[in-house]
Amino acid sequence: MKHRIGIGIVIVALVVVMSATSSFATWSPGSSGSGSSVGRSIGLPTAALATAAGSASITITWAAPTGASVTPTQYVVRRTAPSTATVCTVGGGVFTCSDTGLSGGTTYTYTVEARIGTNWTSGQTAGTSATTTAAGNFLVSVSGTKTAGTAFSPTITATTNGVATDTSYAGVKTITFSGPLASPSGTNPTYPVNVTFTAGVGTPSITLYNAAIATLSVTDGTISGSTSVTVTSGSATQLGYTTSTPSCAAGTVAVGNAGSFTSRVSVYDAYLNPFTQASNRTITVSRSPIIGTLSPTSLTIFTGASETSTASTFTLPNGSPPNTTVTAAAAGLTSASCIVTKT
C-alpha cells in the first residue's frame, strides 16, 4: 500500500514540473512509432529583417532567440513569396543569409526558423519583406522623326537603377542594335560595332533605311534598353508600277494576243519607300513602239498620296505584235518601264 502511494507522489511531481515549463518544442522520434517529449524552449529567432542589396539580391538578418534555454544549432531561411524556396541552412552562430539571382523591382518575403539538431524546431517567424531596386538598364532617346538613309545619333544612357545615370559606365563598349527592318529595296540598317561612353552616356551614329515606326533596341549583353523611332522616306527619286494586272515585278509581263497590262504608278525614294507627295505630281505614260492602245496617258498623284489615283491600260493588238515597252515618267525622277509581250 505504501509502495503504490510513493508512485502516485512521483507522478504528481512530474505533472507539476510540466505545468511550470513556459514553452515547449515538438519532437519527432528518429525511430519508428510516435511520441512527444517535453523539452526546454528554443524560442523564435528575433529581429528578422530583409534588406535589398541591389536589383538582384536581398540580405536576411536575424538574432538568436531571447530567453532560450538551449542555443539553436541551426537556422533555416525560407522565401515564401512571390515564390517559395529554402534559401539558406546555416549554423547556430550565423545570423545572415543572402538570396541572389532575383528580379529587379520585386518584393520578396522571408521567414527564419531555429532548430536544435533535426528534431527540435522553433517554427517560422512572421514574414519579413524587402523590394529589390529596379535593375540597371539603358535609357535610349531619339528626338523627332528621322529620314531614311540619313545618319543620326540616339542618346544611350547607362543607369544603375533605371533612373540614375551610371557615371562609372565609360570607355569603348560593344553594343548590339536591333529592331528596325531592312528597307523595301533590301538595304539593312547600319550600326557601329562599338560605342564610346563618357560618364554613362554614348551617342553612336546609326542609319536606318526603312520608313516606318520601329523599336530600336540596344544591349551590351548585360543591360538593355529601347525606344521608338519614326523614320520617314527620303527624297523622291524613282517611279514604279503598282497595283498591276498582271504584276510587272519582274519587269516583263505576257498578256497574250490582244491582252492588256493595267497598272497604277507610285513614287519612291532611293530605298523603295513610298514617297508621300507634298503637292500634285503628273505622271506621263507612253509606249514604244506605238502600237495597240494606251489610255490614259496622263496620271496624277495627288497631295498626301504616293500612288496615282487611277490606272493606265495598254492593250496589245491582234496578230503578232512586237514586244512593247510601257514607260511611266515624271520630271526629275527615274522612270518605270514594263515590257509587255504576247507570250
Side-chain angles (χ1 to χ4, degrees):
M1 189 67 173
K2 289 182 180 180
H3 178 68
R4 292 179 179 176
I5 292 173
I7 293 174
I9 292 172
V10 172
I11 293 173
V12 170
L14 179 58
V15 171
V16 170
V17 171
M18 291 176 65
S19 299
T21 305
S22 60
S23 60
F24 303 91
T26 301
W27 172 64
S28 299
S31 61
S32 61
S34 62
S36 63
S37 174
V38 178
R40 290 171 291 180
S41 171
I42 299 177
L44 290 170
T46 59
L49 178 66
T51 305
S55 62
S57 177
I58 289 177
T59 299
I60 304 93
T61 58
W62 63 93
T66 59
S69 56
V70 179
T71 300
T73 60
Q74 195 177 72
Y75 292 102
V76 178
V77 179
R78 294 184 178 88
R79 185 195 316 133
T80 60
S83 58
T84 59
T86 297
V87 180
C88 294
T89 300
V90 298
V94 179
F95 302 98
T96 185
C97 165
S98 291
D99 192 9
T100 60
L102 305 178
S103 300
T106 304
T107 299
Y108 293 87
T109 303
Y110 303 88
T111 62
V112 184
E113 175 184 302
R115 288 182 176 180
I116 298 174
T118 58
N119 296 323
W120 294 87
T121 174
S122 67
Q124 300 179 39
T125 63
T128 176
S129 300
T131 302
T132 53
T133 59
N137 66 349
F138 283 130
L139 298 179
V140 186
S141 62
V142 175
S143 61
T145 60
K146 304 305 174 183
T147 302
T150 300
F152 66 96
S153 295
T155 298
I156 305 174
T157 304
T159 74
T160 57
N161 58 3
V163 178
T165 300
D166 182 0
T167 57
S168 67
Y169 194 91
V172 177
K173 306 291 184 179
T174 299
I175 301 295
T176 300
F177 296 82
S178 62
L181 302 176
S183 72
S185 66
T187 305
N188 289 309
T190 55
Y191 306 118
V193 174
N194 298 314
V195 177
T196 300
F197 285 80
T198 302
V201 179
T203 54
S205 176
I206 70 173
T207 306
L208 305 179
Y209 298 92
N210 186 47
I213 299 174
T215 298
L216 175 65
S217 299
V218 301
T219 182
D220 66 358
T222 300
I223 60 175
S224 304
S226 63
T227 191
S228 177
V229 57
T230 299
V231 180
T232 60
S233 61
S235 300
T237 61
Q238 56 193 304
L239 297 175
Y241 285 113
T242 51
T243 320
S244 302
T245 305
S247 172
C248 195
T252 301
V253 294
V255 298
N257 194 35
S260 298
F261 166 65
T262 298
S263 183
R264 298 190 184 196
V265 180
S266 291
V267 60
Y268 298 103
D269 67 6
Y271 310 103
L272 292 183
N273 294 301
F275 180 86
T276 300
Q277 295 297 134
S279 58
N280 292 353
R281 184 186 292 271
T282 300
I283 308 298
T284 301
V285 184
S286 61
R287 66 206 186 276
S288 178
I290 303 175
I291 60 173
T293 60
L294 176 64
S295 179
T297 57
S298 180
L299 303 173
T300 301
I301 301 176
F302 291 105
T303 301
S306 60
E307 184 183 56
T308 56
S309 59
T310 56
S312 179
T313 298
F314 168 68
T315 302
L316 280 173
N318 284 312
S320 300
N323 294 345
T324 304
T325 300
V326 179
T327 301
L333 301 179
T334 300
S335 60
S337 293
C338 183
I339 300 174
V340 181
T341 68
K342 175 182 176 182
T343 57

